[in-house]
Amino acid sequence: MSEPRPVRVRIAPSPTGLPHIGTFRTFLFNWLFGRQRGGTFVIRIEDTDRERLVPGAIDALLDAVEWFGLDWDEGPRKDGPYAPYEQSERLPLYHRYVAQLIANGKAYRCYCSTERLEKLRSEQQARKEPPGYDRLCRDLTPAERATREAEGAPSVVRFAAPLDGSTTFHDVIHGAITWENRVLDDFVILKSDGFPTYHLAHLVDDHEMEISHVLRGDEWISSTPRHVLLYQAFGWEPPIFAHLPTILGPDRKKLSKRHGPTGIAAFQEAGYLPEALRNYLALCGWSPGTEQELFTLDELIEQFDLERVNQTGAIFDHAKLDWFNGMYIRALPPEELARRLRPFLGYASVTLPDADLTAIAALFQDRLRTLSEITELTDFLLTDDVHYDAAALVPKGVTSEQMIPALERSRELVASFDPFEAASLEAAFRTLSDELGLKAGQLFMSIRLAITGKTATPPLFDTMVVLGRQRTVDRLAAAVARLRSGTP
RNA sequence: GCCCCCGUCGUCUAGUGGCCCAGGACGCAGCCCUUUCAAGGCUGAGAUCGCGGGUUCGAAUCCCGCCGGGGGUACCA
């Protein structure tokens, strides 16, 4: 029963908001699966809900996909043999299929008002019955229908679902899933505004576009029986289904804005590398069965296996994402890291030569978990505003009378030292601290504070070299002046 | 309410009847390295495998019941 259909997969986002991290996990899995099978990857825009449309959402999504580092073969900005790829431009197609269903007695027009439907629902709830359409219009006589049409009554089209029996489908991840048909009602397939519902539109398009595998979030499991019934009504073979586990918030509810920023743009702005996010997301619901955690895209394509996707929802773990991000940052060549860091330094870096930025990148590479952290870490390099408490220049058990000459001599040493290079500087300063009767750590910490305003920085002499001789000298001089004028 | 899905360390997971008094990773703690902070290395704490019954010489793994969580129950996707 295995059919050698070429693999064609898709993601079908609806432009009703900003692109969401969960969408990208689904996107990734589809893409990996498609690439692994040498298949075709399609993006289709499901814009049938005219009321929730968000302007610019499609571009935001496509931009985010490109940032994420994946591509698509057919869809917006690409075109393809099954164009158009926006459902709002495919209305005649849906209408044709709806007409076919009505002609075959598989669907019917329903004239029930929203008010009647709401009343019906609340009565059913009061009686503790399962809510659902009572099929009032299903058995209207042709004469009755003609009357309603003549009156110009608004209508929707409903699918005439079977009243008994059961529907079973096979899911790659969950196995066989069976529903009793009687719990399904006659759901709407064409809305009164002439737009199809998701149930009809996605299915017609998946068929028309010859989609072979549908990998989607598991919140769709409960509507899949309806889809299977529709496929049967059309006489079409359904695609292979795989329902992916949900990404959850810390409260085990579906991840949403309530849990903080979930838009893909927020991750970009926070300084996450697309390759790190991909790696993390790949492991969110899938595992290779080995102890490998770090994967290149090619390894992911090679090893990804739908059969090994979990059935359980996974809580989104920011801390682990941070770890991945740090690993990927450290693996970058410093020049490349510098290139990625530049947008996060903003105005302060516009005149900074690439070589200087590369030196900065190398200095902080081990200390970054996200790119955006660079801003705070490097403020002392990009501006001359260095703030600190002068009293902290003096270590415990040392007097300011000792520290003034110590910092003065440090200034002189920096001013005249040649070559201005970290290892030799360190050797010279160790000698100096001995002469001054200070522990190296004491002298170094005092200098560190004086030139950076911070007590935690990269190694002192590497920092000096990047700061530059003149600025180092100036800041040491400023520190001496502050100690001289300050309280003892 | 009804229907469906799910249930292994805090989190992501490995595990498909004996190799598991449960392995890895993140996080956490400690130690080492060290001029601070990181990075790196090592060590450790952390799971009565949701609960209760079975089946079996033997169960996280099979069966039944229960409980818990999630999703659906729209002219939203």
Side-chain angles (χ1 to χ4, degrees):
Chain A
M1 70 159 280
S2 74
E3 72 305 347
R5 276 211 263 180
V7 169
R8 290 178 54 85
V9 289
R10 46 69 164 183
I11 50 158
S14 58
T16 54
L18 267 6
H20 183 270
I21 190 77
T23 308
F24 274 71
R25 204 282 310 265
T26 301
F27 175 52
L28 216 213
F29 281 21
N30 271 284
W31 189 90
L32 290 174
F33 179 77
R35 286 291 173 266
Q36 180 183 72
R37 303 297 182 90
T40 303
F41 186 84
V42 179
I43 294 183
R44 185 176 68 226
I45 305 298
E46 309 222 318
D47 53 353
T48 55
D49 184 348
R50 307 315 284 173
E51 288 176 15
R52 295 201 306 152
L53 277 191
V54 172
I58 296 177
D59 275 329
L61 173 93
L62 266 17
D63 290 347
V65 169
E66 284 176 357
W67 172 78
F68 198 49
L70 304 183
D71 55 1
W72 62 101
D73 305 306
E74 298 174 20
R77 294 184 187 171
K78 279 276 159 65
D79 229 354
Y82 301 88
Y85 292 91
E86 290 83 17
Q87 291 185 327
S88 56
E89 294 176 24
R90 301 168 63 82
L91 261 26
L93 181 70
Y94 310 126
H95 292 165
R96 195 163 76 235
Y97 280 118
V98 167
Q100 177 189 322
L101 245 24
I102 293 177
N104 294 340
K106 303 283 178 57
Y108 60 91
R109 288 213 164 263
C110 165
Y111 305 91
C112 292
S113 66
T114 322
E115 294 70 45
R116 186 181 111 76
L117 260 19
E118 274 166 17
K119 185 157 169 267
L120 176 66
R121 216 170 354 250
S122 58
E123 285 171 359
Q124 287 167 328
Q125 271 159 5
R127 274 180 272 132
K128 302 217 183 278
E129 287 170 9
Y133 181 57
D134 61 0
R135 301 183 158 106
L136 183 69
C137 294
R138 180 159 171 165
D139 300 316
L140 253 30
T141 63
E144 286 169 323
R145 291 185 187 283
T147 307
R148 306 308 299 264
E149 293 292 339
E151 288 166 354
S155 64
V156 299
V157 175
R158 290 180 182 275
F159 177 64
L163 306 176
D164 49 29
S166 64
T167 301
T168 298
F169 65 94
H170 185 268
D171 183 284
V172 178
I173 295 163
H174 295 272
I177 297 176
T178 299
W179 292 64
E180 296 299 322
N181 291 156
R182 60 183 166 72
V183 306
L184 268 17
D185 68 351
D186 289 356
F187 56 95
V188 174
I189 56 176
L190 191 72
K191 300 185 257 189
S192 56
D193 65 1
F195 278 79
T197 61
Y198 168 84
H199 300 305
L200 191 268
H202 95 279
L203 183 142
V204 165
D205 287 339
D206 281 347
H207 175 259
E208 286 283 317
M209 297 180 179
E210 301 188 71
I211 298 302
S212 61
H213 295 72
V214 169
L215 324 195
R216 78 227 297 193
D218 63 9
E219 69 268 24
W220 291 107
I221 289 180
S222 48
S223 35
T224 304
R226 299 173 215 275
H227 303 159
V228 171
L229 255 12
L230 261 181
Y231 277 109
Q232 289 170 0
F234 279 119
W236 298 337
E237 187 189 352
I240 292 168
F241 293 106
H243 287 94
L244 276 18
T246 315
I247 297 183
L248 308 171
D251 56 0
R252 291 218 157 266
K253 297 214 185 345
K254 204 169 154 184
L255 188 69
S256 70
K257 315 102 237 149
R258 293 183 298 115
H259 306 293
T262 54
I264 202 82
F267 287 89
Q268 181 178 2
E269 283 158 22
Y272 289 94
L273 268 30
E275 53 269 53
L277 193 57
R278 270 188 249 129
N279 196 149
Y280 172 71
L281 250 20
L283 260 16
C284 217
W286 170 76
S287 114
T290 64
E291 292 182 353
Q292 184 176 0
E293 300 254 346
L294 264 4
F295 296 86
T296 64
L297 238 205
D298 284 341
E299 287 174 322
L300 247 20
I301 292 171
E302 190 189 327
Q303 295 186 39
F304 182 74
D305 182 359
L306 261 192
E307 311 266 348
R308 291 194 58 88
V309 172
N310 289 301
Q311 303 174 312
T312 321
I315 294 176
F316 191 83
D317 185 356
H318 251 288
K320 187 145 188 178
L321 204 213
D322 284 350
W323 176 78
F324 274 109
N325 209 53
M327 294 299 278
Y328 277 92
I329 284 177
R330 264 162 257 137
L332 252 25
E335 301 75 30
E336 172 64 10
L337 178 58
R339 202 180 63 73
R340 301 214 202 186
L341 245 19
R342 197 178 281 281
F344 292 88
L345 293 170
Y347 182 72
S349 80
V350 290
T351 58
L352 203 61
D354 286 343
D356 290 4
L357 224 201
T358 299
I360 291 175
L363 197 57
F364 290 96
Q365 187 155 24
D366 283 350
R367 271 150 273 258
L368 294 170
R369 268 151 54 252
T370 60
L371 299 177
S372 61
E373 289 170 345
I374 196 68
T375 315
E376 196 185 332
L377 257 17
T378 56
D379 53 3
F380 72 95
L381 286 168
L382 300 176
T383 76
D384 285 313
D385 288 332
V386 176
H387 301 284
Y388 55 91
D389 174 11
L393 252 12
V394 183
K396 270 202 170 55
V398 179
T399 64
S400 100
E401 284 67 34
Q402 277 175 276
M403 284 317 290
I404 289 171
L407 290 171
E408 181 59 25
R409 288 194 58 187
S410 297
R411 199 208 89 225
E412 288 163 6
L413 186 52
V414 170
S416 62
F417 198 82
D418 192 68
F420 197 59
E421 178 272 321
S424 354
L425 277 167
E426 177 174 348
F429 270 89
R430 285 189 185 279
T431 306
L432 177 62
S433 67
D434 284 347
E435 290 173 23
L436 293 166
L438 291 170
K439 288 183 192 156
Q442 293 179 314
L443 210 220
F444 292 2
M445 187 51 91
S446 189
I447 296 173
R448 168 176 290 113
L449 189 65
I451 69 174
T452 69
K454 298 178 194 298
T455 54
T457 72
L460 185 59
F461 304 101
D462 295 311
T463 304
M464 262 188 204
V465 169
V466 171
L467 221 205
R469 187 199 299 274
Q470 191 54 51
R471 288 204 286 179
T472 305
V473 168
D474 292 346
R475 289 178 193 186
L476 285 170
V480 170
R482 289 189 65 186
L483 275 183
R484 284 206 170 112
S485 67
T487 50

